[in-house]
């Protein structure tokens, strides 16, 4: 109950007040129990305006960043979405609320296992989690309507661009290891890619063949 109030307050003060307008994103952020995606000792801080540690030196992103990235994908429902960096599974749950099916890749098995368990417990059956290097995308399931990367890349991995459908979007933080810019790439019907910059951000490293070296 207390968590429901904290969640409502988060949606109003951190999201609506800062310009998140997509009704489906706001509804999803108001529904998903973020406190279930962090360890119990941190549950009371789960709706705070900051990222939190989730173990393995990784973090669950700040609520505003999750909302902003999801909104940038412009999902209307029913889409097939690829997420790179499952982490806690929180962003995965938000995507599962607003899209049709979510394919999520995580390189650290312990995190993938935990995310899978909580997502199943909460009833998100439209999610598939794979352990591996997400910089290469998910070839067997491509192409996707949208791709979301939740770790920082030195450059946009080309397999991910290739695996976006014409008309689709790729949202990804790109830059150095300490600060990045959130980029949105839109693939035109003819396959040409238009890029825009959304906001400065700080993410953990995307480690892989087309990312940072582990
Ligand atoms: N969306 C997550 C954020 C997790 S932080 C959440 O809401 O909790 C980013 C995650 O990306 C980390 O769990 C990290 O292990 C993972 N990651 C880093 N490089 C990766 C790669 N090449 N493929 C898949 N996952 C990767």
């Amino acid at each position: 109950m207390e968590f429901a109030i904290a969640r409502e307050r988060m949606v109003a003060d951190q999201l609506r007040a800062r310009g998140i307008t997509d009704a489906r994103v706001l509804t999803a952020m108001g529904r998903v129990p973020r406190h279930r995606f962090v360890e119990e000792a941190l549950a009371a801080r789960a709706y705070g305006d900051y990222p939190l540690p989730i173990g393995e030196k990784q973090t669950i992103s700040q609520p505003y960043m999750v909302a902003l990235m999801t909104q940038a994908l412009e999902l209307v429902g029913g889409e097939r979405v690829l997420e790179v960096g499952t982490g806690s599974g929180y962003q995965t749950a938000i995507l599962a609320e607003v899209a049709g099916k979510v394919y999520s890749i995580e390189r650290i098995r312990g995190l993938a296992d935990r995310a899978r368990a909580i997502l199943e417990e909460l009833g998100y059956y439209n999610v598939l989690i794979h352990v591996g290097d997400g910089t290469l995308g998910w070839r067997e399931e491509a192409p996707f309507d949208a791709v979301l990367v939740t770790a920082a890349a030195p450059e946009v991995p080309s397999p991910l661009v290739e695996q976006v459908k014409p008309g689709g979007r790729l949202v990804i933080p790109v830059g150095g290891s300490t600060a990045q810019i959130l980029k949105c790439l839109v693939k035109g019907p003819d396959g040409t890619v238009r890029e825009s910059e959304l906001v400065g951000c700080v993410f953990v490293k995307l480690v892989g063949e087309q990312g940072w070296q582990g």
Side-chain angles (χ1 to χ4, degrees):
M1 192 55 217
E2 256 171 62
F3 287 123
I5 292 167
R7 198 152 57 234
E8 262 176 49
R9 210 168 282 156
M10 171 193 87
V11 170
D13 301 349
Q14 299 174 38
L15 309 184
R16 281 185 200 279
R18 291 193 196 136
I20 301 295
T21 52
D22 186 321
R24 305 177 71 257
V25 173
L26 291 167
T27 302
M29 298 288 298
R31 279 176 62 138
V32 176
R34 181 172 163 96
H35 61 280
R36 299 293 306 277
F37 292 85
V38 297
E39 60 181 283
E40 240 171 281
L42 296 176
R45 301 173 60 204
Y47 298 94
D49 192 12
Y50 35 70
L52 287 170
I54 56 172
E56 311 273 0
K57 298 193 187 136
Q58 308 301 324
T59 54
I60 178 173
S61 304
Q62 175 195 20
Y64 174 70
M65 192 52 68
V66 172
L68 188 72
M69 291 194 295
T70 312
Q71 175 167 277
L73 295 176
E74 298 194 357
L75 302 167
V76 297
E79 293 90 349
R80 301 172 76 250
V81 180
L82 173 67
E83 178 191 32
V84 175
T86 316
S88 67
Y90 175 68
Q91 170 77 71
T92 320
I94 298 292
L95 290 170
E97 290 272 350
V98 300
K101 181 142 190 185
V102 186
Y103 300 84
S104 188
I105 309 178
E106 170 57 53
R107 63 183 284 271
I108 301 174
R109 184 171 298 274
L111 292 177
D113 288 345
R114 201 157 10 112
R116 205 181 274 126
I118 184 66
L119 287 164
E120 200 176 304
E121 199 182 314
L122 294 173
Y124 291 104
Y125 302 122
N126 56 339
V127 170
L128 264 183
I129 296 176
H130 170 72
V131 178
D133 178 5
T135 66
L136 304 175
W138 192 327
R139 217 148 249 145
E140 298 77 13
E141 298 292 350
F144 301 95
D145 297 297
V147 177
L148 177 59
V149 182
T150 68
E155 280 170 49
V156 180
S158 55
L160 298 182
V161 180
E162 284 157 24
Q163 291 178 29
V164 178
K165 277 186 203 168
R169 287 168 175 256
L170 164 63
V171 170
I172 179 171
V174 180
S177 57
T178 53
Q180 306 90 34
I181 292 175
L182 190 65
K183 293 194 173 184
C184 179
L185 282 69
V186 183
K187 198 183 258 190
D190 60 351
T192 55
V193 176
R194 206 168 31 115
E195 189 180 304
S196 59
E197 300 187 342
L198 302 180
V199 69
C201 55
V202 181
F203 280 82
V204 297
K205 279 184 184 176
L206 181 72
V207 178
E209 214 175 295
Q210 303 279 318
W212 296 94
Q213 302 309 307

